[in-house]
Amino acid sequence: MTEQAPAPTDKPAPKGPPPRVFSGMQPSGTLHLGNYMGALKTWVDLVDESRRTGLDCIFCIVDQHAITVDYDVKELRAKVVDAAVCYLAAGIDPAQCTLFVQSHVPQHTELAWYFNTIMPMGELGRMTQFKEKSEQHRQSVSTGLFTYPLLMAADILLYRATIVPVGEDQVQHLEFSREVARKFNGRFTPKRARPTFPEPAPRLSATPRIMGLDGMHKMSKSRGNEIGLLEEDASIRKKLKGAFTDPQRMRRDDPGRPEICNIYTMHRAVSPPALVEEVQRSCTSASWGCGDCKEALGNNLSAHLTPIRLKAKELTAKPEQVHDTLADGARRCRAIAEETMREVRDRMGLVPAKG
Ligand code: AQP
């Protein structure tokens, strides 16, 4: 008699937990349009997506990264709250995701230390951001600035996150985080066991690199070349007037190259698709001058950012509410982090304290 194949069942295959998203920003200054268009807008999209898909979104204010360069103690305190206000005002809904401050979860630095012990210095020395920032802060380059990518790897891997929404400048650090995961798994994960860490991948926005108004460097909190996320319309319009555009557009009727123009890139982030097309056409045909593109951008930035600015004003008036949100987030993150760390310590051979 032949054996019968088991009857198919209607039961769906067992599903794992939904993927986890993790990202953070430094409270090193006022968030700017680069942070927003390169990363924060994607966070908001992912939170919206999580309503349908169950994605678990965790967002962090990475204050321990911000202290790797010279900073003002009093200002840092205020900037942490300002960053939380920006996240919330931009549309990060705390009922739908987790928001917390890095230093409220001590396991980040613990895991970073363990990663210090497994990654060779040569790999850290190759990091472009370290080279640029050590140039920028030449008077004192801290060891923390050098080991920054290890803490960033710990931030992500502590939560076993696989989706990391960041701007283009962070892609190299993400590749490094994957290398850390592979190294740790290779050395400490027992054969046939589930890897300790999954490999995280970047999620880039459609505008992953926003240049500064100077056209020389990416828009940055520390270079003074930025437009602030909460800046007033009049100030934004004034800054746009002086913003660097396509250097080949010397005269009004020179056709432009939108693909290399930062003004066009910003249009792509905030303007309706029909207007983006119009800007593209009018720039290449020279029917619009740079001033026209800038004026249209000023109008669309105003429409896009005014509600964010108003919401931020409301939240700034209720700091207790913001602190409560951060405290709830830290509570949840400490629990997740400790679960990971128990496994990490065990796999690395560290003996737990009795009791
Ligand atoms: N210009 C940019 N274009 C696109 N994305 C950007 N990001 C930063 N600048 C741009 C993205 O914003 C997120 C938060 O960055 P961060 O605060 O952690 O560090 P950063 O990249 O060093 O930002 P800044 O503004 O340049 O800060 P400072 O001047 O203090 O170093 C990241 O996802 C980043 O990719």
Side-chain angles (χ1 to χ4, degrees):
M1 233 169 67
T2 52
E3 229 176 275
Q4 288 219 320
T9 70
D10 292 337
K11 276 196 194 151
K15 274 201 263 166
R20 190 167 276 153
V21 174
F22 180 94
S23 194
M25 289 195 197
Q26 300 182 69
S28 50
T30 317
L31 295 200
H32 52 69
L33 293 188
N35 298 134
Y36 180 67
M37 295 170 177
L40 187 51
K41 228 166 142 272
T42 315
W43 297 10
V44 175
D45 292 343
L46 286 164
V47 172
D48 285 343
E49 190 183 321
S50 76
R51 293 177 211 280
R52 286 178 283 106
T53 59
L55 278 180
D56 180 9
C57 296
I58 302 181
F59 299 116
C60 183
I61 296 163
V62 289
D63 54 348
Q64 289 167 321
H65 286 286
I67 59 174
T68 55
V69 294
D70 197 21
Y71 71 100
D72 182 291
V73 173
K74 267 200 214 127
E75 279 183 12
L76 179 65
R77 292 202 176 103
K79 282 174 180 170
V80 168
V81 181
D82 290 350
V85 164
C86 283
Y87 291 2
L88 294 164
I92 297 296
D93 175 2
Q96 190 60 32
C97 66
T98 303
L99 190 60
F100 76 107
V101 179
Q102 185 184 32
S103 61
H104 296 178
V105 181
Q107 289 88 344
H108 286 247
T109 43
E110 183 188 356
L111 186 57
W113 176 254
Y114 298 152
F115 290 164
N116 261 283
T117 67
I118 62 169
M119 292 306 285
M121 283 172 60
E123 300 216 15
L124 286 165
R126 287 212 308 272
M127 297 293 120
T128 312
Q129 183 172 292
F130 173 70
K131 289 181 192 157
E132 282 175 6
K133 289 208 170 170
S134 48
E135 189 62 27
Q136 205 182 333
H137 301 273
R138 219 181 291 167
Q139 59 295 9
S140 115
V141 179
S142 72
T143 310
L145 190 61
F146 184 64
T147 57
Y148 183 116
L150 292 163
L151 181 55
M152 180 165 158
D155 298 336
I156 299 162
L157 299 179
L158 193 53
Y159 301 97
R160 299 179 160 121
T162 52
I163 303 171
V164 186
V166 283
E168 198 179 69
D169 59 315
Q170 293 298 330
V171 167
Q172 190 186 33
H173 285 169
L174 248 292
E175 176 49 49
F176 180 84
S177 299
R178 280 200 292 282
E179 182 56 28
V180 173
R182 284 195 285 271
K183 270 238 159 63
F184 190 99
N185 290 337
R187 169 120 189 251
F188 296 113
T189 303
K191 281 203 175 65
R192 283 187 290 277
R194 157 184 71 70
T196 314
F197 298 116
E199 290 185 27
R203 174 76 61 94
L204 295 182
S205 76
T207 52
R209 184 177 184 81
I210 302 294
M211 293 302 287
L213 297 171
D214 54 4
M216 302 273 289
H217 300 99
K218 69 158 194 149
M219 193 175 280
S220 248
K221 299 182 212 86
S222 55
R223 287 199 188 263
N225 64 359
E226 80 278 24
I227 294 181
L229 179 63
L230 305 180
E231 219 165 302
E232 295 293 335
D233 286 351
S235 167
I236 294 182
R237 287 181 204 279
K238 192 168 165 210
K239 282 189 177 175
L240 284 177
K241 278 201 175 124
F244 188 84
T245 55
D246 178 356
Q248 273 187 28
R249 252 197 129 180
M250 303 292 279
R251 286 168 313 173
R252 170 69 177 75
D253 47 2
D254 285 337
R257 297 168 296 169
E259 67 284 0
I260 63 132
C261 180
N262 202 33
I263 300 296
Y264 175 69
T265 308
M266 290 197 264
H267 267 295
R268 285 179 49 225
V270 292
S271 299
L275 181 77
V276 175
E277 257 178 54
E278 191 178 354
V279 173
Q280 210 258 357
R281 248 183 293 116
S282 311
C283 172
T284 45
S285 66
S287 58
W288 280 18
C290 291
D292 303 315
C293 297
K294 287 176 174 181
E295 195 183 323
L297 180 61
N299 294 339
N300 285 298
L301 281 172
S302 168
H304 196 93
L305 300 179
T306 301
I308 298 179
R309 211 161 49 224
L310 292 176
K311 180 82 186 151
K313 279 194 184 130
E314 245 174 63
L315 289 161
T316 307
K318 299 181 208 158
E320 276 315 303
Q321 190 182 314
V322 176
H323 283 291
D324 286 347
T325 300
L326 295 173
D328 288 346
R331 219 169 289 122
R332 173 170 187 244
C333 288
R334 278 194 295 268
I336 302 172
E338 189 48 28
E339 205 182 304
T340 306
M341 289 314 297
R342 266 199 293 271
E343 186 171 309
V344 167
R345 294 181 204 115
D346 179 57
R347 290 191 168 176
M348 291 187 80
L350 301 167
V351 178
K354 195 173 168 201

